[in-house]
Amino acid sequence: MPGVVLTAVTTPVSAFPIYDLHSHTRASDGLLTPEQLVLRAVEQRVGVLAITDHDTTDGIIPAREAIARHQLPLRLISGVEISTLWENHEIHIVGLGIDIAHPGMIAFLAGQAGRRLARAQLIAERLEKAHIPGALAGALALAEGGAVTRGHFARFLIAAGKADNMQQVFKNYLARGKTGYVPPQWCTIEQAIDAIHQSGGRAIVAHPGRYGLSAKWLKRLLAHFSELGGDAMEVAQCQQAPNERQQLARYAQDYQLAASQGSDFHQACPWIELGKKLWLPGGVESVWQRFPDITESVCSQESSIRGE
Ligand code: AMP
Ligand code: MN
Ligand code: MN
Ligand code: MN
């Protein structure tokens, strides 16, 4: 891929790498292939990357193979982003350091895939009634056999000339209460945490500032998550309100949760980039310090690819 510095190929991961623990590939609604994503991560000087596609781990093995093939100085954490429903809110739980071959996790993600497909059919029916035909076939074609998300419906609707950009299409068609919105039937937070723990991973509340929750409800969510045995919460993202990071860091301390950071990268855009502006405020313990096993588990998986 153009732009990758060849001298980086044999350079080991730095002792103080940049961690980006939330990213997407074409296995769900990201626009890059797993190979393109890991090459871009190295270009952006990320040393430890978690791929966390929506309810699927299908991007992990191709990414691991690409890292081995190009001998990239990049540690990959096997991850997933699970959609859950809590008090009528869609809450995303990231799992890090999971065993993607664990039968319990495979069965759990098969259930989530079934829920995604059932919801996609209902979304398409609603759009059809609003005189927008072909949305199911369109979204499934864009998903290319991966997890079908509202992101794929968004792209279909933009291509059909219904909106100019993602923000507009969500606002007009796919947000709660709009023509193409279907109340989801996701699993509970407890089920997501259990599936993650059973497969050897750690459970992290994704982007707590993006649910539109008041401080009271956000604290309620974090208390619930912590009581259920949840491990960490995302504190740093590359795009955040000025005081949000400090506030989230205080919550992480209050609820004894480790702190994570991630770009939630889906595609190249001016304000979101792999590894960009990712740092944790003082006073929190990072998820990789509290749970070093999330990166260690990856090493054994990498050796197994090399046949060691
Ligand atoms: P789903 O999990 O199928 O409900 O799809 C949710 C995904 O849609 C998120 O992960 C985002 O990638 C995308 N999304 C949600 N809201 C917006 C928005 N307002 N603008 C752009 N993308 C969005
Ligand atoms: Mn997404
Ligand atoms: Mn999310
Ligand atoms: Mn995400």
Side-chain angles (χ1 to χ4, degrees):
M1 175 158 159
V4 170
V5 183
L6 281 177
T7 51
V9 165
T10 49
T11 311
V13 173
S14 133
F16 299 100
I18 297 176
Y19 287 80
D20 189 333
L21 303 183
H22 189 150
S23 69
H24 295 271
T25 74
R26 264 152 61 173
S28 66
D29 59 352
L31 281 193
L32 301 189
T33 64
E35 179 176 37
Q36 289 168 331
L37 185 79
V38 295
L39 287 168
R40 190 179 185 97
V42 171
E43 275 187 317
Q44 300 300 325
R45 304 186 186 288
V46 170
V48 183
L49 177 75
I51 292 181
T52 55
D53 275 307
H54 297 287
D55 299 305
T56 178
T57 57
D58 287 353
I60 304 290
I61 287 177
R64 239 189 267 149
E65 287 171 350
I67 289 170
R69 193 163 56 246
H70 297 279
Q71 296 184 15
L72 298 177
L74 180 67
R75 246 181 270 160
L76 183 71
I77 294 181
S78 302
V80 67
E81 181 174 16
I82 297 172
S83 291
T84 75
L85 195 60
W86 172 78
E87 301 280 359
N88 213 21
H89 295 284
E90 287 185 54
I91 305 297
H92 291 179
I93 306 296
V94 160
L96 295 180
I98 57 171
D99 173 3
I100 61 171
H102 188 275
M105 178 55 81
I106 291 171
F108 175 80
L109 294 181
Q112 291 286 95
R115 293 182 183 107
R116 283 197 169 274
L117 193 57
R119 185 191 61 161
Q121 282 158 346
L122 294 174
I123 290 175
E125 278 172 26
R126 289 183 59 111
L127 290 172
E128 185 118 23
K129 279 188 192 138
H131 309 291
I132 304 175
L136 183 62
L140 289 177
L142 289 168
E144 297 174 326
V148 60
T149 71
R150 278 185 296 165
H152 299 108
F153 280 97
R155 283 179 211 147
F156 166 80
L157 289 166
I158 291 170
K162 301 293 176 189
D164 291 334
N165 57 56
M166 293 292 269
Q167 223 158 350
Q168 199 189 352
V169 79
F170 268 90
K171 190 164 162 254
N172 294 342
Y173 289 94
L174 298 169
R176 188 181 289 241
K178 296 298 156 78
T179 318
Y181 182 79
V182 174
Q185 307 286 323
W186 303 129
C187 66
T188 64
I189 290 179
E190 186 170 18
Q191 288 168 324
I193 293 175
D194 285 351
I196 291 166
H197 283 172
Q198 272 179 32
S199 62
R202 301 292 173 178
I204 293 101
V205 178
H207 42 65
R210 288 223 311 258
Y211 301 119
L213 298 175
S214 65
K216 181 177 139 191
W217 275 94
L218 183 50
K219 288 197 258 184
R220 208 173 267 185
L221 167 65
L222 297 173
H224 177 65
F225 181 75
S226 185
E227 274 165 27
L228 290 173
D231 303 294
M233 59 182 274
E234 287 182 356
V235 164
Q237 296 176 256
C238 41
Q239 200 190 19
Q240 273 177 311
N243 297 319
E244 185 181 295
R245 198 174 294 207
Q246 299 292 342
Q247 183 60 56
L248 291 178
R250 280 193 287 274
Y251 288 156
Q253 291 173 291
D254 291 347
Y255 295 97
Q256 290 89 46
L257 295 168
S260 189
Q261 60 183 37
S263 61
D264 202 3
F265 182 90
H266 285 72
Q267 64 187 99
C269 85
W271 52 89
I272 297 176
E273 183 53 84
L274 288 164
K276 187 174 168 182
K277 292 196 207 159
L278 295 179
W279 49 268
L280 294 173
V284 294
E285 188 180 9
S286 67
V287 67
W288 57 88
Q289 283 172 320
R290 193 177 295 181
F291 306 112
D293 52 341
I294 61 172
T295 51
E296 282 162 14
S297 64
V298 171
C299 297
S300 64
Q301 288 161 351
E302 281 172 353
S303 328
S304 68
I305 279 187
R306 291 195 300 267
E308 291 167 16

